[in-house]
Amino acid sequence: MIAVNPTDSASLLAAFGALGVLGVIFAESGLLVVGFFLPGDTLLFPAGVLCAAGDGQGPRLELWQVMLCAAVGSVVGGQVGYLLGRHGGRPLLERSSSRRVKAGTARAEQLLARYGYGKALVIGRFVPMVRTVLHPAAGALGVPVRTFTFWQTVGGLLWSQSFVLAGYLLGSSVSHVDDYLLPLVAVIVALSLLPLLAEARRARRLRRDDERRRDG
């Protein structure tokens, strides 16, 4: 019996290959609490690397299968998340005791209010934690179905395909790069956190400006 760690990209890819990409990206794109604990960027990029790997120790994946599974998982997962939010409504999000869900919901609502539906649904795909709660939040907030479907499809395809192709291009240009998957995953995690850090810095700056205006 193969032991699989669902939070570890190498374990998932070794056990399930491209189907693991489909299942994880589907869950991470809209299944709320479950999605927060699953790899997204850190699964797509290594999967792309392994598609280009030669005789490395990792599993050999087919690029077209990984890209197809990533596309289906991201788009269908986003749509399911939207339907959960649309039918469960705001109470579904407010009843959650998870701090991650509450924080992600707040960020998702800010993103939708600040950028509008289309831009927010595309940008949100590239922000960890936000992309998991963004689609249920869009459903709960009453984003029109056609508008949501179009833009979440655009965002889902851009996000999923770009990370897979980036990994594939790196794997094709650097020999035995699959031997360094763990450091690469660490780099992807760090890069994925940059939008959150930038948003947190902006929020602190706005709070300071508000406090100065009140004091003045």
Side-chain angles (χ1 to χ4, degrees), residues 60-112:
R60 181 68 164 83
L61 304 177
E62 294 294 334
L63 180 62
W64 73 268
Q65 293 178 351
V66 171
M67 293 185 68
L68 177 61
C69 287
V72 172
S74 63
V75 173
V76 176
Q79 206 67 28
V80 169
Y82 173 83
L83 293 174
L84 289 174
R86 187 177 179 88
H87 294 290
R90 187 175 292 273
L92 177 68
L93 299 172
E94 292 178 346
R95 280 199 302 268
S96 175
S97 59
S98 171
R99 294 177 61 184
R100 287 188 175 186
V101 171
K102 292 183 181 298
T105 300
R107 292 193 185 99
E109 291 178 349
Q110 291 169 4
L111 203 63
L112 289 165

Side-chain angles (χ1 to χ4, degrees), residues 8 25-26 29 34 39 61 65 74 81 116-117 121 126 160 165 205:
D8 178 56
I25 297 305
F26 169 84
S29 295
V34 175
L61 304 177
Q65 293 178 351
S74 63
Y117 298 152
L121 289 168
F126 293 84
S160 62
L165 287 174
R205 186 171 63 250

Side-chain angles (χ1 to χ4, degrees), residues 143-215:
V143 176
V145 176
R146 290 185 179 180
T147 301
F148 173 83
T149 301
F150 177 79
W151 287 111
Q152 79 92 2
T153 300
V154 171
L157 293 177
L158 284 174
W159 169 64
S160 62
Q161 305 305 285
S162 64
F163 270 85
V164 172
L165 287 174
Y168 180 78
L169 291 174
L170 181 63
S172 300
S173 59
V174 180
S175 60
H176 301 293
V177 69
D178 50 312
D179 293 336
Y180 305 97
L181 280 182
L182 287 179
L184 285 172
V185 167
V187 171
I188 294 299
V189 170
L191 292 176
S192 298
L193 292 176
L194 289 180
L196 292 178
L197 296 175
E199 187 64 27
R201 184 177 180 181
R202 176 181 174 276
R204 285 197 301 271
R205 186 171 63 250
L206 290 175
R207 283 197 299 269
R208 285 197 301 266
D209 292 342
D210 289 339
E211 291 172 358
R212 289 171 184 170
R213 283 195 292 268
R214 287 196 298 267
D215 294 340

